[in-house]
Amino acid sequence: MTRYLPSASPARRGRDGAGRLDRDTIRRLPKVLLHDHLDGGVRPATLLDLAAASGYSGLAATDPGALQDWFAAPAASTEEHLRRFEPILELLQDRAALTRVAAECAQDLAADGVVYAEVKIAPEQHTRQGLTREQVVDAVLEGLRVGTARARLFGRSTDVRLLLTALRQAADSLEIADLAVRYRHRGVVGFDIAGPEAGYPPTRHISACEYIKRENFNLTLHAGEGFGLSSIWEAIQWCGADRLGQGVRIIDDIALSDEEPAEGDPAGAAVRTAKLGQLAAYIRDKRIPLELCPTSNLTTGAVARLADHPVDVLRRLRFRVTVNTDNRLLNRTSMTGEFARLADTFGYGVDTLSWFTVNAMKSAFIGHDERLALIDHVIKPGYAAVRADHAGAAFFRREDPW
């Protein structure tokens, strides 16, 4: 049984930093992103350009703002959410388009303060007009190189790696896993399985997962969003996932209850208790990272309100929680947006956002030395500088005590 204080009231927001965080301050913070789909983050204006160049007429609007609104409208289910990818996929079927959107992805992440990212792509979804899977991967990797180089010209440094995704409903996961391994020294850092969970358990792809583990490579599986604990259990115990993509439904294996405030407690603070089931305890004890995507969970209906999202409970219970965007276009979000919403809802300050970021960097699919270098020389100094600036600004804003 674990006892902890529930989230702070709005009056105590920003308690682990000095005052409330605004978006400009959050944008300055170095951030790490582990769960982001390339095709789910395309700029609306780019989609319109690609449609005009190819004669495609399947977009829902001709104005970038209206098109963004259509993609970000609430979905009735994860499956409906996934169907909105179709017009995007129709426009990402040639090398030039893939290279362009990958370059823009790297630039957009750099502009948002993301210093390290792992972006996902399912190669088989981009072969309708004759590209091979290898050509798809080559085009995206070239775009990421171009985008990071352009970002450096403007003084913004980011490192964007690629995850190759197989689809649960398809039957070529072993081929995608082999492709990921072949590109492991050219910018691909791992293998992922995504797609609808209901009816497509991860064990359908156990051969691909076993191959990845035999090759000493990295594996993350989408599990625990559209389906519950059994999906998470299979991803971890049968498939051997190193990280859980989403994983929000692990909260179903945690029993929560409230205790009365302690007698004589002047603050009258209620204390919450949490009893972890065997699966939740295993994931916490083994430090298996959760790639939580709060805004995405709202969009797909996995949670009704951000205030109800398990991210805060899981953080307080010290799971290896990371915060991610999932699909920046479809969720109308960014890492700055995710952190800002969490700060507003749960009262997070600089220290908590730093904790999420270090968690993510520890969980990245790059070498130990590279992870430490980014933590010690980029992330920690970046947060320390913002923390000092923010504390100083708060000091000069306070009321004169005399």
Side-chain angles (χ1 to χ4, degrees):
M1 186 81 71
T2 302
R3 301 171 78 249
Y4 67 97
L5 289 174
S7 58
S9 65
R12 295 175 60 207
R13 287 177 178 169
R15 62 200 175 281
D16 61 3
R20 182 169 178 165
L21 295 175
D22 58 68
R23 283 189 175 240
D24 287 340
T25 299
I26 294 173
R27 189 171 288 107
R28 289 174 52 204
L29 296 171
K31 293 174 281 293
V32 174
L33 175 57
L34 301 180
H35 191 120
D36 186 78
H37 294 270
L38 180 67
D39 50 0
V42 185
R43 298 173 183 174
T46 296
L47 290 174
L48 293 171
D49 285 350
L50 295 174
S54 64
Y56 178 73
S57 59
L59 292 177
T62 57
D63 171 77
L67 188 58
Q68 171 67 85
D69 290 343
W70 181 82
F71 278 113
S77 65
T78 300
E79 288 72 23
E80 180 184 331
H81 186 71
L82 293 174
R83 284 194 291 271
R84 293 182 188 171
F85 282 94
E86 187 55 32
I88 304 173
L89 295 176
E90 283 293 320
L91 293 168
L92 299 185
Q93 296 298 326
D94 64 75
R95 184 181 183 92
L98 287 165
T99 300
R100 174 179 174 176
V101 299
E104 291 175 350
C105 170
Q107 291 174 274
D108 291 345
L109 294 179
D112 193 41
V114 175
V115 297
Y116 177 85
E118 293 174 8
V119 175
K120 304 169 186 278
I121 187 170
E124 67 268 34
Q125 292 191 308
H126 304 276
T127 58
R128 299 174 185 176
Q129 295 179 12
L131 289 179
T132 65
R133 293 167 178 155
E134 289 80 3
Q135 288 172 327
V136 171
V137 176
D138 287 335
V140 172
L141 290 174
E142 175 62 20
L144 295 179
R145 286 190 289 269
V146 169
T148 53
R150 288 175 181 169
R152 283 195 297 271
L153 292 176
F154 292 93
R156 301 178 181 128
S157 179
T158 190
D159 183 355
V160 186
R161 308 296 179 98
L162 194 60
L163 295 169
L164 298 192
T165 297
L167 299 177
R168 286 172 176 262
Q169 66 271 33
D172 57 356
S173 56
L174 187 57
E175 290 87 344
I176 303 301
D178 176 68
L179 183 63
V181 170
R182 285 190 280 125
Y183 275 79
R184 70 187 303 170
H185 299 300
R186 288 184 270 178
V188 173
V189 293
F191 173 67
D192 171 48
I193 296 178
E197 291 184 72
Y200 300 99
T203 46
R204 295 179 76 244
H205 306 282
I206 198 164
S207 295
C209 298
E210 290 175 344
Y211 172 74
I212 288 292
K213 306 310 287 186
R214 286 197 305 272
E215 293 294 325
N216 303 309
F217 207 32
N218 304 307
L219 175 63
T220 178
L221 268 71
H222 285 64
E225 182 192 24
F227 211 68
L229 295 176
S230 62
S231 180
I232 295 174
W233 179 75
E234 288 191 17
I236 298 298
Q237 306 299 5
W238 280 90
C239 299
D242 299 303
R243 297 194 317 233
L244 278 175
Q246 301 283 358
V248 67
R249 297 283 295 277
I250 194 61
I251 195 68
D252 296 347
D253 199 37
I254 302 173
L256 301 173
S257 61
D258 291 324
E259 291 183 356
E260 292 297 323
E263 186 176 351
D265 181 357
V271 174
R272 174 162 285 189
T273 62
K275 184 176 182 180
L276 276 62
Q278 289 185 350
L279 180 60
Y282 182 90
I283 287 171
R284 184 176 71 166
D285 293 347
K286 295 294 185 181
R287 314 309 297 145
I288 296 171
L290 303 174
E291 302 168 6
L292 298 184
C293 305
T295 302
S296 177
N297 297 151
L298 287 174
T299 303
T300 61
V303 295
R305 302 181 309 148
L306 189 57
D308 298 328
H309 198 283
V311 60
D312 193 59
V313 171
L314 296 170
R315 178 191 72 87
R316 291 171 180 278
L317 293 175
R318 287 302 187 259
F319 282 76
R320 178 67 69 83
V321 175
T322 72
V323 175
N324 304 275
T325 55
D326 198 8
N327 298 292
R328 286 168 288 118
L329 170 65
L330 277 71
N331 299 321
R332 201 198 304 265
T333 195
S334 63
M335 279 303 294
T336 293
E338 294 294 325
F339 274 1
R341 294 181 193 106
L342 293 180
D344 286 343
T345 302
F346 297 110
Y348 297 158
V350 175
D351 290 349
T352 301
L353 301 186
S354 174
W355 184 81
F356 286 133
T357 303
V358 171
N359 271 354
M361 198 66 247
K362 287 179 179 178
S363 308
F365 286 159
I366 55 174
H368 178 73
D369 292 343
E370 294 175 280
R371 282 179 273 147
L372 279 185
L374 279 166
I375 290 171
D376 291 340
H377 303 304
V378 177
I379 294 170
K380 287 185 176 179
Y383 275 88
V386 171
R387 187 182 293 110
D389 290 348
H390 196 55
F395 176 83
F396 286 108
R397 285 197 306 267
R398 71 180 184 178
E399 294 181 4
D400 189 335
W402 294 284

